Amino acid sequence: MAEFQLPDPAVRVAGAQEIARDLVVVPNENVQLVPNIGVVGGTHSVLVVDTGLGAQNAESVLAFARDYARGRKLYLTSTHFHPEHAFGAQVFAGEATYLVNRAQAEDLSHKGDGYLAMFRGLDPAVAKRLADVRIPTPDLVYDTAHALDLGGRVVHLRAVGRAHSKGDQVITVPDAGVLFTGDLAETGQFAIFPWFPPHDTDVSGLRWIEVMAGLAASAPRIVVPGHGTVGGPEVVEGVLAYLRELRDETWTRRDSALSQDTIIEEVRAVLIERHPDWAGREWIETGVACLCSEHGDVA
Ligand SMILES: [Zn+2]
């Protein structure tokens, strides 16, 4: 985490783009710790996907959503509990119904405070964004899947963790073929492995591969990644290919009984050579360490 060099992670709602009928994305414009944020409308309700980091960002997202909704009822969900996705939800209290999967609600209550402290320690701009943050408590919690009727449009919320986190959730808008993946997918960077033993070892490379294979098979038309550029099915397929590559390069060396340090060094060199333009090289190391701890069939 020490390799982070962060610009102020400000959400820019002015950049909002309509990617389907009554469905806009506030793009992260490749700023670290800014997520892609979704606003999905139906005839009587509007769903906001992710809050941005901290109360001030969330206030601008809420103002944008309120404006966009023009009197329609507001719902909020977050793709997972990580700070730039969920640590602004307090601002929506009383204005929107905050709805998430149970595993994510548990991540918030079990790990929220630890992540708040860790992120405050990353960088002064981040600490400032998180100054007034309280870990939010969702209004409604579902177990594995929930169909949210926005009026003339039903949005599907589905728990798919554990993968990037224990409480990963994907949101699909079937009539528009849109899939919000949260941090299960990013573009232009190495997949984020929040593997921080002994504090957090919930990320699973193997489960993540399984989840991405399932999402690829569902053939989404438009994919909104957690960070990076909105695209088509190639976004999901690209992450799946990378995760398999990471697993295979790691396991080949583990099977040759190399030390973990040597495995990390070699896999890092190979993957940087194959993806020279990608950001987030620090996540290769945590990805290798995670996969070194996992065992299973190659699929
Ligand atoms: Zn995340």
Side-chain angles (χ1 to χ4, degrees):
M1 302 291 281
E3 291 177 46
F4 270 134
Q5 296 226 324
L6 294 167
D8 178 33
V11 174
R12 270 202 348 104
V13 294
Q17 294 167 357
E18 186 168 53
I19 61 163
R21 179 186 55 83
D22 203 357
L23 199 170
V24 301
V25 168
V26 177
N28 83 325
E29 296 173 348
N30 290 314
V31 179
Q32 276 197 61
L33 293 184
V34 176
N36 288 315
I37 292 170
V39 181
V40 185
T43 56
H44 58 65
S45 300
V46 169
L47 172 69
V48 177
V49 180
D50 285 349
T51 67
L53 186 85
Q56 199 191 337
N57 275 326
E59 270 160 20
S60 63
V61 173
L62 174 61
F64 174 82
R66 206 192 280 124
D67 230 41
Y68 185 86
R70 294 172 183 270
R72 289 177 284 181
K73 179 177 164 55
L74 286 180
Y75 287 91
L76 169 69
T77 194
S78 39
T79 52
H80 61 302
F81 84 104
H82 287 154
E84 75 271 33
H85 301 270
F87 287 14
Q90 69 196 54
V91 164
F92 286 73
E95 300 229 28
T97 303
Y98 182 29
L99 166 69
V100 303
N101 50 311
R102 185 168 308 283
Q104 182 179 171
E106 289 169 1
D107 275 348
L108 279 166
S109 66
H110 297 160
K111 292 192 293 189
D113 285 325
Y115 268 72
L116 190 53
M118 176 167 69
F119 272 62
R120 280 176 174 156
L122 283 181
D123 178 282
V126 174
K128 192 163 169 238
R129 290 275 170 194
L130 291 171
D132 302 328
V133 162
R134 295 186 308 278
I135 301 305
T137 307
D139 300 307
L140 289 176
V141 171
Y142 70 87
D143 284 319
T144 54
H146 183 81
L148 180 63
D149 188 352
L150 301 176
R153 167 176 268 173
V154 177
V155 174
H156 294 268
L157 297 87
R158 189 159 59 90
V160 294
R162 122 178 200 255
H164 167 76
S165 72
K166 198 186 271 182
D168 295 312
Q169 172 187 224
V170 296
I171 295 104
T172 52
V173 187
D175 69 83
V178 174
L179 166 69
F180 290 90
T181 64
D183 287 355
L184 293 166
E186 269 88 34
T187 66
Q189 71 167 88
F190 293 96
I192 298 170
F193 275 75
W195 173 261
F196 307 127
H199 308 291
D200 188 355
T201 55
D202 284 342
V203 55
S204 163
L206 291 196
R207 272 283 295 131
W208 197 340
I209 288 169
E210 225 176 89
V211 170
M212 296 316 281
L215 293 179
S218 74
R221 203 164 62 76
I222 303 175
V223 177
V224 183
H227 303 265
T229 310
V230 175
E234 76 283 355
V235 172
V236 167
E237 286 154 12
V239 175
L240 176 58
Y242 167 71
L243 292 172
R244 285 178 169 152
E245 194 181 9
L246 178 69
R247 174 200 59 195
D248 295 347
E249 294 296 341
T250 300
W251 282 9
T252 302
R253 289 168 177 81
R254 184 181 66 186
D255 293 347
S256 312
L258 296 178
S259 76
Q260 186 165 309
D261 285 348
T262 306
I263 299 173
I264 287 170
E265 197 181 309
E266 290 189 11
V267 173
R268 190 179 146 91
V270 166
L271 293 180
I272 287 174
E273 196 181 341
R274 281 189 210 152
H275 309 284
D277 304 332
W278 285 8
R281 291 175 176 181
E282 67 273 21
W283 300 118
I284 301 172
E285 176 171 344
T286 55
V288 171
C290 173
L291 277 156
C292 274
S293 77
E294 294 191 80
H295 298 267
D297 298 327
V298 173

